[in-house]
Amino acid sequence: MHALCGENGAGKSTLMKILYGMQKPDEGTIAVDGQQVAFASPGDAIARGIGMVHQHFMLADNLTVLENVVLGSEKLHGIGAKARAKIVELSERYGLGVRPDALVENLGVADRQRVEILKVLYRGATTLILDEPTAVLVPQEVDALFDNLRELKAEGLSVIFISHKLGEVLSVADEITVIRRGTTVGTVVPADTTAKQLAELMVGSELPTPETAESTVTDRPVIEVRNLKLLGEGGRALLDDISFTIHEGEVLGLAGVEGNGQTELIDALIGLKGADSGTLRMATGEVGSAGEAAGEPEEITSWPTRRRREQGIGYIPEDRHRHGLLLESPLWENRILGHVTERPNSKGFWLDLKSAQADTRRIVEEYDVRTPGIDVTAASLSGGNQQKLIVGREMSHKPRFLIAAHPTRGVDVGAQAQIWDQIREARREGLAVLLISADLDELIGLSDTLRVIYRGRLVADADPADITPEELGSAMTGAASGHLEHPADESGAAEDRPSGETGDQPEKTEEAAAPEDEAR
Amino acid sequence: MKKFDKERLLLGAAGPAIALVVAVLLTSVVLLASGKSPFEPYAIMLEQAGFADIQVLILNAAAGYYIAALAVAVGFRMNLFNIGVEGQYRLAAMVTAVVGAKVALPGALQLPLLVLVAALTGAFWAGIAGLLKVTRGVSEVVSTIMLNSIATAVIGYFTLPKVFGVQQGNNKTTGEMHDSGWFPNLDLGPAGELYGFVFVAVALGIAYWVVLNRTRFGFDLRATGASESAAAASGVNAKRMVLTAMLLSGAVAGLAGLPTLLNDTHTYSLSFPTSLGFTAIGIALLGRGGPVGIAFASLLWAFLDKASAELDYRGYDTEIAVIMQGLIVIAVVVSYEAVGRWGLRRQQQRVGKELAAGHVLGKTGAPGTSGETGTSGDNNDKEVAAR
Amino acid sequence: MSTAPALDKRPAAASAPGRRRVTLPVLLLIIAGVLALTSLVRIVTGADGITNVSQMSTALKLAVPIGMAGLGGLWAERSGVINIGLEGMLILGTWFGAWAGYQWGPWIGVLAGIAGGALGGLLHAIVTVTFNVNHIVSGVAINILALGVTRYVSAFAFEGVPQGTSKQSPPVESLGQFSVPVLSDGLETINDKGWFLASDIAGLLGGLVTNMSPLTLLALALVPASWWILWRTSFGLRLRSCGENPTAAESLGVNVYKYKYLAVIISGGLAGLGGAFLSIVANPFYLEGQTGGRGYIGLAAMIFGNWMPGGLALGAGLFGYTDSLKLRGGTENVHALLLLIAILVLIGAIWLVLRKKYVGAVIAVAVSALVFAWYATTKEVPTQVVTATPYVVTLLVLSLSAQRLRMPRANGKPYRRG
């Protein structure tokens, strides 16, 4: 079992795509069993016994497990009883527990992943590539997955395992290759490597790490969330008992494995999803107005999205193509997006195109958006420049509270540093920020307070001053709860600390519910 | 920057131009295959367009097309397919005719009343589909198709002599409207009479442009069409937007039958022109949902309709015009897609080049980091029909 | 605290599959119940026409083109392509069917009709799959084009030919009809007796065995055949996977473009067959405007049937039946059916009460009462109500069940390779 390790964007996925024939290499060779090969398509890779389990599952929801598995390889065992028998046999041999006639739609994430693995095995693969297989799993599921993988290894199959989570890699791999910025920086054996050494290899030393200067946290609360609860389909709680307060000048970092309620929390804060219970309160009016003058934060629970944004919620979305931009519209229209009711974009009922365009030019200059003009479409900018435009747009409306979801994802290093600077500067001026990120260094470096979200609950908090990414990472998997490390007294949100129980964690997310269903 | 603007304009014109050429070529092939001259029909039609009376006919016909196509375009701009313009305008025309025959106010009140009745009827009929979509999730495509058929039945019932109908020979009508409700025509002497409603259509086009491009509502509507998810995050209430757009589309559709009704027939009868609503879909596509484009498209359509009548007397079949209309629509949708994609790719390349050359709007002139370029809208689940 | 979530979850898990599928026995029971009620209504009202053999036979005849169009829609949409151009393909089918039919015999006509529709399908595939144009836009364009082309070529093909005009083709020879000997007469006899239930079932079955065209038989057979191909062969599996998740299908080596093309061409062919049925069996000639929007209705029938062949056939049957009422003493028969509707809505109200949805129940009771009042105070309904009935029913069904319908996941979405 070989693990491939590296930061986000280090080139792991690209490498795997080449191995699986989805992309062609410009140079270099691939050898399978000592034979040099060239893959033109996934089909060639499959023929060579290489199978891939994608990070985003390639399954059709409305088809059964059987149908998903045999699709494309109907010639092997047909699509009827023989195929079913083969699936059952494989499933039993490797302990996958897959039911061939279940609809994929009704399966949880872990089950789906097992179906993906089965798909690969069904095609007779001898080498399995797993792309970030644990990103969407909860710890118990991760353990189960590793058991499966060990089973496969015992049967003589090779597994290539891609991850950026050190703990997992060290516990499961026989050999680890670390890549950084597209090149191999070393191959190590877990037995004589520590997590720290591995982390250094992965991150290198030259990467900029965000660092907050002196604390600017005040005691004037900007946003107060109390006992927020959001129910999903079928009455499962996607968010449960979420409470926190962010003050002027405070950055609250939210750590968590993706799919643990972050998206839902954003939706609830921005008003796309109504809370099922709990309250949201926000201080409106001028930034920096004295606490007494500003008065108590107003209750905004029932406000629609537009009103919340007008009153000072800024939003840097997780997926900027889907939620932050009109890709085929010119930049200045993108500058209006989300703030169409506010100056300089409109005067009353009418749009004010002149000032909007002038202001777009200002943003482009101030935020260093590299573009030949403001009439080009947003799609023609690079990811970093798109993001700078979004940051500039949101900052231009003097938000009281900024939701920044993965603000530097898919952004080049230069833009990354700029965006960090802008967030820090705004924080100095009294902005309250909720920072959600998968980049733990970013979280630790920028935040004043850290919270960990796990299955829709805030389970732990920490002081960024004395916590390492590894410690935070282990809390994200639900292994630790309550306050991590030493108590932090300057943390403004200390009184909101969750009760910190993990023993009776109810199943929260859709994914989490499935394995239990099956067991029943 | 100017350069980009010019290119956009050029690209905008290239789509329909290519489509027209392709459609003409294909039509010529059809003509050849049927053993006719592949060129003469065009000459005849163009010659027809030179006559003043034909021009008036074309303008008059274009007015209805234009209004109906605007109605379709309102929906298209936010990915709503109002296939029901057909039912909406016919029902509205019938109801207006009935009201016009039963109510007699002075002209200054009668005309606004009739226009209002038409708009409200259209909006009501479209609103049913909008409501079903918002509350029950019924696709507007299917529900408006059903509503078209139901409208036919409703019209049939209302025009029964025992209800509101008046039998005139073989024709069932709604009776003559009071002349205070006749819209004034512009008498052009021997060329005929130009419908006064042509000017209303022009005004509607201007209003459409202003609302869409210069108001907050218009921005929200366009944003919803360009990316539903981004619009929702920007604070657009999607459900309310769907309902509003549907009502608006219906109200405009309700007016589409008025040029004929108020300027010409002054009664709704079995011979009232039909299928305007389906034609309008083609015209809206051809005009790319813009008010000027739609104007050209409706004039072209009306030209093909009216100028082709002469063909029958010269040994050709007027239906060649219908074929041409069909071919134009197909050619147009394909060429828009192809040209649009090409243009986007080209723009991305140019932006890259300009950046590399140091033409940057920002203060730093250093070569930009090329990075990964945003993919061209592949993330959009829905393709926008007419942008 | 620790047990509560587990309790919460159970009903959710249990109701999830139940909401999705109505099992076959339940469905049969519902059909039987409706049939019994219909019979009761027939006896009470004396409107024997509603389950008459000839009524049923007409209904079947009218249902075939709708069903074929719907089946065409099913094939296309299962592969992920919305086909609103069915109407145009139906038109092409009628024209080619009659054109080839009057010259070279009806069977050649049928083949030509299929080919004509398939041609329309091919065009739709080129525009939507290769050029990635919005499916609805392309469909609308095809409808316009098909209308134009057939009108134009009719002038050449049919004008000047004996019994032909520019709008109507010369007559096509019949494909013949057959009735299953003993069975047909026997069922008709039972049907004539007017017994409770037995006569109605006899009427329904009688419609299936009396004066049937071989093309009807073929059309009927195509419904289970489509199901078998789509759900029981690897070809069908691949085709459906393109409509559910084309990216996944492509990653497994399925040529998504190929399957979409095939599906849309087959879709056009089926619609073409429906068209040929119209211009060879239903009428022995092509007539301009003959399809009368049946392509759209077929699409509605398919949605009504939740993208499944069986449901689609049921939907098409319902449309055919209401259509047939228009032709045969509709005003009285529909009047009689008012009573049936009143009872059905009342049953719905009771069901709602049991589900504790009181607001809906009150509305349903009120509707039921209104319909009953209508029934009681009138002797017949205007023909326009008969005309509108199928469309209103579709709208009602859609608005009641749209959220429960499950269309192919990637239906209507543009797909580009890579």
Side-chain angles (χ1 to χ4, degrees):
Chain A
M1 198 179 304
H2 194 112
L4 199 66
C5 234
E7 278 281 86
N8 284 334
K12 300 175 303 237
S13 295
T14 313
L15 178 61
M16 288 306 110
K17 278 183 185 166
I18 293 173
L19 280 184
Y20 191 54
M22 287 161 79
Q23 276 183 14
K24 282 203 186 119
D26 293 322
E27 263 178 58
T29 58
I30 304 168
V32 177
D33 293 330
Q35 248 181 319
Q36 198 163 315
V37 291
F39 299 141
S41 75
D44 294 352
I46 294 170
R48 283 283 177 176
I50 295 177
M52 174 121 160
V53 175
H54 300 266
Q55 183 178 1
H56 302 288
F57 301 144
M58 296 276 195
L59 294 172
D61 283 359
N62 203 22
L63 300 185
T64 65
V65 169
L66 171 80
E67 288 174 325
N68 267 292
V69 170
V70 300
L71 180 62
S73 301
E74 301 90 342
K75 291 219 174 69
L76 291 176
H77 309 281
I79 65 168
K82 254 174 75 190
R84 182 173 291 110
K86 177 75 183 168
I87 289 172
V88 171
E89 184 219 312
L90 281 171
S91 165
E92 278 170 8
R93 184 152 101 216
Y94 300 106
L96 295 172
V98 166
R99 294 163 296 161
D101 291 315
L103 267 189
V104 168
E105 187 176 56
N106 299 334
L107 297 184
V109 177
D111 280 334
R112 288 178 192 219
Q113 193 167 52
R114 282 194 279 270
V115 174
E116 282 280 9
I117 294 174
L118 191 70
K119 244 165 80 175
V120 171
L121 296 176
Y122 187 81
R123 284 162 175 72
T126 50
T127 306
L128 263 78
I129 305 172
L130 290 103
D131 189 3
E132 301 267 8
T134 56
V136 287
L137 300 181
V138 296
Q140 300 92 312
E141 293 169 345
V142 170
D143 291 341
L145 171 70
F146 288 170
D147 286 343
N148 289 147
L149 293 183
R150 289 193 190 98
E151 197 89 39
L152 293 173
K153 197 174 80 179
E155 294 277 332
L157 277 75
S158 331
V159 177
I160 302 179
F161 179 92
I162 308 176
S163 179
H164 63 265
K165 290 181 194 156
L166 306 174
E168 291 170 359
V169 167
L170 285 170
S171 75
V172 76
D174 300 314
E175 204 175 22
I176 303 169
T177 296
V178 180
I179 61 172
R180 187 167 76 225
R181 292 191 168 190
T183 47
T184 312
V185 291
T187 299
V188 294
V189 181
D192 26 288
T193 318
T194 66
K196 194 158 178 296
Q197 286 169 321
L198 200 58
E200 277 167 9
L201 265 177
M202 262 171 70
V203 178
S205 49
E206 77 280 30
L207 262 184
T209 41
E211 270 173 45
T212 14
E214 77 293 359
S215 170
T216 56
V217 180
T218 64
D219 58 356
R220 294 188 293 273
V222 174
I223 189 106
E224 291 178 350
V225 178
R226 288 281 169 280
N227 309 102
L228 182 68
K229 185 170 190 155
L230 188 69
L231 299 177
E233 221 177 303
R236 279 192 300 271
L238 299 174
L239 292 176
D240 198 4
D241 198 21
I242 300 270
S243 295
F244 60 83
T245 303
I246 309 179
H247 301 85
E248 273 182 21
E250 177 180 358
V251 176
L252 184 128
L254 190 65
V257 177
E258 260 171 71
N260 271 299
Q262 293 95 323
T263 310
E264 289 76 14
L265 178 61
I266 295 172
D267 285 351
L269 288 174
I270 197 87
L272 286 176
K273 290 205 179 114
D276 287 293
S277 68
T279 54
L280 302 173
R281 302 171 79 82
M282 186 172 76
T284 52
E286 274 300 295
V287 186
S289 58
E292 301 79 46
E296 277 296 293
E298 260 181 273
E299 167 139 10
I300 63 164
T301 320
S302 61
W303 287 12
T305 305
R306 173 142 294 166
R307 185 152 177 219
R308 294 188 195 194
R309 297 198 70 162
E310 282 167 356
Q311 296 296 327
I313 297 190
Y315 178 34
I316 300 176
E318 193 170 358
D319 180 345
R320 60 179 163 268
H321 288 180
R322 274 178 61 77
H323 295 119
L325 293 169
L326 304 176
L327 285 171
E328 295 184 23
S329 301
L331 296 191
W332 60 267
E333 287 200 345
N334 277 291
R335 188 258 168 276
I336 298 177
L337 185 71
H339 303 278
V340 66
T341 54
E342 296 162 60
R343 277 167 190 276
N345 297 331
S346 62
K347 282 180 188 156
F349 185 67
W350 303 98
L351 292 181
D352 187 350
L353 298 192
K354 273 218 181 80
S355 358
Q357 285 167 346
D359 199 59
T360 311
R361 268 186 215 102
R362 177 190 63 78
I363 291 176
V364 163
E365 284 176 25
E366 279 183 21
Y367 290 83
D368 190 26
V369 180
R370 307 272 168 85
T371 169
I374 60 164
D375 287 317
V376 300
T377 56
S380 46
L381 296 188
S382 72
N385 285 315
Q386 290 175 345
Q387 191 73 331
K388 283 191 271 187
L389 180 75
I390 293 178
V391 172
R393 168 179 84 196
E394 297 305 323
M395 293 302 187
S396 301
H397 290 276
K398 297 270 168 270
R400 297 297 315 269
F401 169 48
L402 178 72
I403 303 170
H406 308 281
T408 58
R409 176 177 280 183
V411 160
D412 52 88
V413 184
Q416 192 173 25
Q418 276 178 29
I419 291 169
W420 283 337
D421 280 344
Q422 275 136 16
I423 291 178
R424 268 194 293 261
E425 190 179 332
R427 158 181 169 273
R428 251 198 308 283
E429 287 167 9
L431 180 71
V433 181
L434 175 69
L435 177 68
I436 294 169
S437 181
D439 181 346
L440 299 186
D441 291 322
E442 178 175 86
L443 272 178
I444 294 172
L446 278 181
S447 306
D448 298 296
T449 321
L450 280 171
R451 288 303 188 83
V452 178
I453 190 166
Y454 179 65
R455 299 199 198 172
R457 276 171 171 263
L458 295 178
V459 292
D461 59 330
D463 184 348
D466 49 26
I467 191 162
T468 64
E470 289 73 32
E471 288 161 342
L472 196 58
S474 85
M476 279 159 60
T477 61
S481 63
H483 187 69
L484 307 170
E485 285 292 281
H486 326 291
D489 43 36
E490 83 263 38
S491 156
E495 74 272 18
D496 305 319
R497 197 165 298 152
S499 34
E501 77 284 52
T502 39
D504 60 346
Q505 283 297 320
E507 301 286 328
K508 280 304 173 287
T509 54
E510 204 183 340
E511 301 88 71
E516 254 198 34
D517 283 352
E518 200 189 53
R520 200 171 283 139
Chain B
M1 288 187 105
K2 283 266 158 50
K3 228 179 304 168
F4 282 103
D5 275 346
K6 220 199 265 162
E7 184 158 322
R8 264 175 100 155
L9 214 67
L10 216 69
L11 278 176
I18 293 172
L20 267 179
V21 171
V22 170
V24 166
L25 282 178
L26 286 175
T27 312
S28 294
V29 170
V30 173
L31 282 166
L32 265 179
S34 47
K36 309 264 174 172
S37 154
F39 305 114
E40 207 195 346
Y42 307 121
I44 296 174
M45 283 163 71
L46 284 176
E47 178 198 12
Q48 285 296 305
F51 298 124
D53 56 335
I54 300 286
Q55 286 168 359
V56 169
L57 279 180
I58 290 175
L59 278 176
N60 287 347
Y65 284 155
Y66 187 64
I67 300 176
L70 283 183
V72 176
V74 170
F76 272 8
R77 289 312 281 265
M78 62 171 289
N79 278 324
L80 268 181
F81 289 90
N82 182 1
I83 310 281
V85 169
E86 177 70 16
Q88 289 147 20
Y89 95 86
R90 286 200 294 139
L91 192 70
M94 188 274 294
V95 172
T96 313
V98 169
V99 172
K102 303 280 174 208
V103 180
L105 297 172
L109 292 175
Q110 181 85 344
L111 278 176
L113 171 75
L114 293 183
V115 170
L116 192 70
V117 165
L120 288 180
T121 312
F124 165 71
W125 207 243
I128 297 175
L131 214 59
L132 283 178
K133 184 179 175 76
V134 170
T135 58
R136 311 296 313 171
V138 180
S139 150
E140 79 280 7
V141 176
V142 181
S143 62
T144 50
I145 288 172
M146 295 295 117
L147 283 166
N148 283 344
S149 303
I150 298 174
T152 307
V154 172
I155 292 169
Y157 181 75
F158 276 96
T159 48
L160 286 179
K162 63 174 181 183
V163 191
F164 295 115
V166 175
Q167 193 80 32
Q168 286 188 344
N170 268 339
N171 208 345
K172 285 201 191 86
T173 74
T174 52
E176 178 108 317
M177 294 167 71
H178 289 280
D179 52 13
S180 62
W182 295 19
F183 207 87
N185 283 342
L186 194 64
D187 195 347
L188 297 175
E193 291 190 331
L194 185 67
Y195 290 175
F197 229 82
V198 168
F199 300 99
V200 177
V202 172
L204 269 176
I206 295 170
Y208 170 82
W209 182 86
V210 168
V211 168
L212 218 56
N213 293 299
R214 288 291 180 269
T215 66
R216 285 165 22 180
F217 169 76
F219 184 85
D220 283 346
L221 190 137
R222 285 184 294 131
T224 313
S227 166
E228 216 172 312
S229 49
S234 88
V236 176
N237 182 334
K239 286 191 169 181
R240 198 158 61 195
M241 209 63 202
V242 167
L243 196 57
T244 318
M246 211 61 196
L247 288 172
L248 206 61
S249 171
V252 178
L255 303 180
L258 295 191
T260 311
L261 182 72
L262 299 186
N263 283 108
D264 184 16
T265 63
H266 307 299
T267 184
Y268 188 93
S269 68
L270 288 181
S271 51
F272 199 81
T274 58
S275 80
L276 184 61
F278 291 116
T279 311
I281 298 174
I283 295 173
L285 290 173
L286 187 56
R288 297 212 85 180
V292 180
I294 295 177
F296 278 120
S298 6
L299 284 171
L300 175 68
W301 215 273
F303 158 73
L304 288 173
D305 270 0
K306 298 300 171 190
S308 64
E310 176 69 14
L311 290 176
D312 257 350
Y313 304 106
R314 308 269 194 103
Y316 293 94
D317 295 279
T318 48
E319 277 77 18
I320 195 71
V322 188
I323 287 210
M324 209 166 152
Q325 289 168 340
L327 286 175
I328 288 176
V329 173
I330 293 260
V332 154
V333 293
V334 172
S335 86
Y336 278 149
E337 192 69 25
V339 169
R341 207 158 291 281
W342 180 82
L344 200 68
R345 256 207 319 276
R346 193 173 146 71
Q347 197 187 32
Q348 285 175 345
Q349 283 163 4
R350 288 190 55 152
V351 168
K353 248 189 248 158
E354 295 243 351
L355 287 176
H359 296 157
V360 175
L361 195 63
K363 44 194 165 191
T364 40
T369 41
S370 48
E372 34 94 46
T373 304
T375 42
S376 60
D378 284 357
N379 295 8
N380 290 4
D381 287 345
K382 279 189 175 182
E383 291 270 304
V384 184
R387 228 175 244 146
Chain C
M1 171 74 196
S2 56
T3 56
L7 284 175
D8 280 352
K9 240 174 28 180
R10 209 162 284 142
S15 72
R19 193 169 43 99
R20 274 186 46 78
R21 281 170 206 270
V22 180
T23 52
L24 192 66
V26 173
L27 195 70
L28 288 176
L29 210 67
I30 291 175
I31 292 176
V34 171
L35 211 61
L37 259 176
T38 315
S39 177
L40 197 67
V41 166
R42 177 182 58 85
I43 289 167
V44 171
T45 59
D48 282 340
I50 52 179
T51 55
N52 198 310
V53 165
S54 53
Q55 184 87 52
M56 290 300 170
S57 167
T58 313
L60 185 63
K61 209 172 266 177
L62 290 165
V64 167
I66 296 172
M68 287 302 99
L71 212 52
L74 177 84
W75 275 76
E77 303 217 353
R78 278 287 167 190
S79 81
V81 177
I82 293 180
N83 190 354
I84 212 171
L86 285 170
E87 177 72 11
M89 297 169 201
L90 211 57
I91 293 175
L92 290 172
T94 57
W95 193 88
F96 277 96
W99 172 72
Y102 92 86
Q103 302 185 70
W104 303 298
W107 282 111
I108 303 291
V110 170
L111 290 180
I114 295 174
L119 213 62
L122 176 66
L123 182 63
H124 189 54
I126 292 172
V127 175
T128 55
V129 179
T130 302
F131 288 101
N132 247 317
V133 170
N134 184 295
H135 300 176
I136 292 173
V137 169
S138 163
V140 169
I142 282 173
N143 291 342
I144 296 176
L145 185 67
L147 192 66
V149 169
T150 50
R151 274 169 66 180
Y152 181 72
V153 287
S154 290
F156 294 98
F158 302 144
E159 213 168 17
V161 180
Q163 290 179 277
T165 70
S166 67
K167 293 190 189 303
Q168 186 177 335
S169 77
V172 182
E173 216 180 297
S174 168
L175 283 168
Q177 286 185 334
F178 65 90
S179 300
V180 178
V182 185
L183 208 52
S184 169
D185 291 340
L187 286 169
E188 187 140 10
T189 320
I190 300 175
N191 181 240
D192 286 343
K193 300 278 192 216
W195 294 333
F196 172 72
L197 203 53
S199 289
D200 301 289
I201 294 175
L204 197 61
L205 294 176
L208 283 172
V209 294
T210 308
N211 292 340
M212 206 160 62
S213 159
L215 210 52
T216 313
L217 196 67
L218 176 68
L220 279 177
L222 277 172
V223 176
S226 290
W227 176 84
W228 189 81
I229 294 171
L230 287 173
W231 273 270
R232 284 295 176 268
T233 67
S234 58
F235 172 80
L237 172 61
R238 287 176 171 220
L239 191 146
R240 281 186 297 129
S241 73
C242 299
E244 297 287 343
N245 189 344
T247 321
E250 190 86 55
S251 81
L252 295 172
V254 174
N255 186 342
V256 174
Y257 285 13
K258 180 178 113 188
Y259 282 93
K260 285 192 175 214
Y261 258 89
L262 282 175
V264 180
I265 292 171
I266 292 173
S267 161
L270 285 167
L273 178 64
F277 184 92
L278 273 176
S279 65
I280 296 176
V281 177
N283 300 301
F285 49 74
Y286 160 85
L287 182 68
E288 197 177 298
Q290 191 172 26
T291 56
R294 285 192 176 81
Y296 297 121
I297 306 300
L299 208 62
M302 178 204 65
I303 296 171
F304 176 95
N306 198 10
W307 285 267
M308 297 296 281
L312 175 161
L314 200 69
L318 191 68
F319 280 117
Y321 180 72
T322 39
D323 239 5
S324 74
L325 287 175
K326 220 180 333 187
L327 297 179
R328 312 180 143 263
T331 50
E332 283 164 34
N333 289 340
V334 173
H335 183 247
L337 289 179
L338 283 178
L339 184 60
L340 178 66
I341 293 169
I343 297 173
L344 283 178
V345 175
L346 199 63
I347 292 174
I350 294 168
W351 183 73
L352 284 173
V353 168
L354 292 178
R355 298 272 309 248
K356 298 197 166 62
K357 290 181 178 164
Y358 296 114
V359 180
V362 167
I363 295 173
V365 168
V367 169
S368 169
L370 274 177
V371 175
F372 183 77
W374 188 6
Y375 168 77
T377 54
T378 55
K379 282 223 153 51
E380 55 174 42
V381 294
T383 43
Q384 283 75 22
V385 172
V386 185
T387 321
T389 307
Y391 310 107
V392 176
V393 168
T394 311
L395 266 190
L396 281 178
V397 167
L398 288 182
S399 56
L400 291 178
S401 62
Q403 280 139 342
R404 238 173 270 175
L405 299 181
R406 175 73 154 78
M407 74 164 180
R409 179 64 52 93
N411 195 11
K413 303 213 168 112
Y415 172 75
R416 201 163 317 215
R417 188 177 288 164

